Amino acid sequence: MTADKGKVMLIAGGSGSIGSAIAREAQTQGWTVAIHGRCADKVNALASQLGVTGPVEGFVADIREGDAAQALVAEVAEQFGRIDAVIDCTACGPVGITGLFAETEPNAFGAFLDQSVGWLERLAHAAYPHLVQDGGTLISFASDAGVFAAPRQTLIGAARAAAIGFIRNFALEAARHGVRAHCISPSFVEGSESAGRMGSERMAKAASRASLGLPSAKDIAPLAVFLCGEGAQKITGQVISINGGLHA
Ligand SMILES: NC(=O)c1ccc[n+]([C@@H]2O[C@H](COP(=O)([O-])OP(=O)(O)OC[C@H]3O[C@@H](n4cnc5c(N)ncnc54)[C@H](OP(=O)(O)O)[C@@H]3O)[C@@H](O)[C@H]2O)c1
């Protein structure tokens, strides 16, 4: 039995590539897992797969709705009675915000920023009263675009840097209530849906530069679960890149 057995982890975007790998890893380590996503069929398929070996429940909410974070957290708390970790793995579509800055669409800027950092702030705000109960953890999946500059990443870089700034400041403040917070920052994740959207040429180029090999979602999941667990009780406010040696 692990020290974290019976604790509850809410994974926003848990039906996606990285979120589902974390859900599997967390469940193996004794966590009770609440999986969130946008598409009910996808969420329910994963919940029933994982449900074979432990308590798991699927939740559906669109993060573009202003009250989605509050409703989601309230539903999970009602179902499981506690929330010890919240991991945000949601990814918003890149429509209008990728490419050279001059080619992006100003009409998309505000919504993208809101779905990236506004959603995270609302999620953290809704979850906070639960996380303070027993020294909980918040993890935001950001991106190396928020840490390392690169062409064609202006808007993603700005949104991710905002999320990182929020988490680092939140971590310092929340420590007084025993709550920890981190960003995990991938670059290119082999086999993920986001990687599919990046295209095979970009992925191949990144793979050729990553001396350790590009990580898969399975390579990332153990770190996320570790940071939420007993073994990481004295660590907070960190931004950890997982990129196979692309950047340091
Ligand atoms: N994979 C990479 O190469 C990579 C690189 C850098 C950073 N990251 C970051 O790491 C995180 C996880 O990435 P991933 O590859 O696991 O992404 P993913 O496979 O695309 O999963 C995204 C998740 O977000 C949910 N989602 C998307 N739009 C939503 C909406 N409007 N309302 C509610 N849920 C919504 C999806 O639900 P549905 O499936 O139901 O739509 C899914 O559960 C993201 O923040 C991503 O930007 C990933």
Side-chain angles (χ1 to χ4, degrees):
M1 189 198 286
T2 75
D4 299 313
K5 191 167 171 58
K7 289 192 171 178
V8 176
M9 179 183 288
L10 163 60
I11 309 177
S15 61
S17 312
I18 296 174
S20 57
I22 295 171
R24 288 194 174 87
E25 179 70 28
Q27 204 189 30
T28 306
Q29 296 192 31
W31 287 81
T32 294
V33 182
I35 301 160
H36 155 266
R38 173 175 44 179
C39 163
D41 287 350
K42 221 168 139 182
V43 169
N44 293 333
L46 179 63
S48 63
Q49 253 180 50
L50 293 172
V52 175
T53 54
V56 64
E57 189 74 48
F59 299 84
V60 178
D62 192 320
I63 64 171
R64 291 168 295 188
E65 308 288 337
D67 60 355
Q70 227 175 354
L72 172 64
V73 166
E75 248 184 280
V76 173
E78 189 182 324
Q79 178 82 15
F80 292 120
R82 59 188 291 154
I83 301 176
D84 302 282
V86 175
I87 304 188
D88 182 28
C89 298
T90 57
C92 16
V95 180
I97 53 96
T98 51
L100 294 173
F101 181 64
E103 293 159 9
T104 56
E105 292 170 25
N107 287 345
F109 295 176
F112 178 66
L113 205 54
D114 184 66
Q115 284 162 44
S116 305
V117 71
W119 155 255
L120 171 65
E121 290 161 354
R122 292 191 289 274
L123 184 63
H125 202 270
Y128 199 69
H130 302 283
L131 295 178
V132 298
Q133 297 300 318
D134 196 17
T137 311
L138 171 69
I139 294 181
S140 163
F141 268 82
S143 155
D144 272 356
V147 184
F148 303 101
R152 298 182 168 78
Q153 302 283 305
T154 46
L155 297 169
I156 292 178
R160 295 317 197 177
I164 289 169
F166 168 72
I167 287 289
R168 293 183 61 236
N169 284 277
F170 172 87
L172 207 63
E173 183 183 304
R176 75 187 66 182
H177 294 134
V179 173
R180 295 168 284 139
H182 303 284
C183 281
I184 296 179
S185 173
S187 276
F188 296 86
V189 181
E190 203 76 77
S192 68
E193 288 183 34
S194 304
R197 290 192 287 268
M198 285 179 206
S200 53
E201 204 177 310
R202 263 184 88 191
M203 286 299 289
K205 209 168 153 190
S208 71
R209 290 171 36 230
S211 305
L212 297 173
L214 292 179
S216 68
K218 264 186 161 177
D219 296 314
I220 293 173
L223 173 67
V225 179
F226 167 75
L227 289 173
C228 295
E230 293 277 316
Q233 268 182 342
K234 302 296 179 197
I235 312 173
T236 197
Q238 300 305 302
V239 181
I240 303 176
S241 292
I242 303 191
N243 56 42
L246 265 180
H247 309 286

